[in-house]
Amino acid sequence: MKLIVGLGNPGKEYAGTRHNAGFHWIDRLAEVLGITLKSEARFHGTCVRIQQNNQECWLLQPQTYMNASGRAVVALSQFYKIHPDEIMIIHDELDLLPGEIKLKKGGGLGGHNGLKDIAAKLGTQDFWRLRIGIGHPGERSAVTGYVLHPPGKEEAQLIEQAVEKGLETWPLIVQSDCQAAMLKLHTKT
């Protein structure tokens, strides 16, 4: 992987919301690695380049709001000639329960506006996704309010557990061993 993108909305009012699960994952990874993302106007986000195990990788948090996430992803990926199959998007997933986390490449976009914009701007859906379960409110009409609000205490703990489980796969992800990362994430223990 050459580009890891955590999706979310910028601003303090969105910081603890379900929709910012991708931002949270990147924040936790930066904390574990002892690094800081810096604002980069030309990439429409905060980012940092890291070196690990002789691998170079970018971490990015678009600051364009969720619906325009593709602008940041394309700006950085085109500048550094990063192919879509070398990109991993970390995002909230309505179709997974809180506490669940799954990794996949390609496939449908599940109505996620951030993914839709990224796929449209890249011209393909053939990129990796680390999907952090946030659950579904039950009614389609309630989704917007649901994702833009913080989860309850129990749900927040489950989402945090999923984030931590995802972080355990980081050494595999940075080495592009996504098959092993999938096996680790998807195997019940």
Side-chain angles (χ1 to χ4, degrees), residues 8-79:
N9 285 309
K12 289 180 182 166
E13 67 271 29
Y14 297 108
T17 65
R18 293 174 179 95
H19 224 14
N20 277 32
F23 270 18
H24 181 60
W25 195 91
I26 293 287
D27 288 340
R28 286 287 298 119
L29 178 62
E31 197 177 296
V32 167
L33 297 177
I35 57 174
T36 304
L37 282 75
K38 302 222 182 329
S39 182
E40 186 67 62
R42 67 182 167 160
F43 299 138
H44 312 284
T46 58
C47 58
V48 64
R49 181 178 9 198
I50 60 172
Q51 291 269 42
Q52 251 193 316
N53 305 329
N54 297 322
Q55 302 291 323
E56 185 177 283
C57 178
W58 281 91
L59 302 181
L60 171 67
Q61 291 176 324
Q63 298 296 299
T64 55
Y65 290 97
M66 186 68 77
N67 296 356
S69 298
R71 187 180 335 149
V73 173
V74 167
L76 196 148
S77 65
Q78 285 183 346
F79 188 85

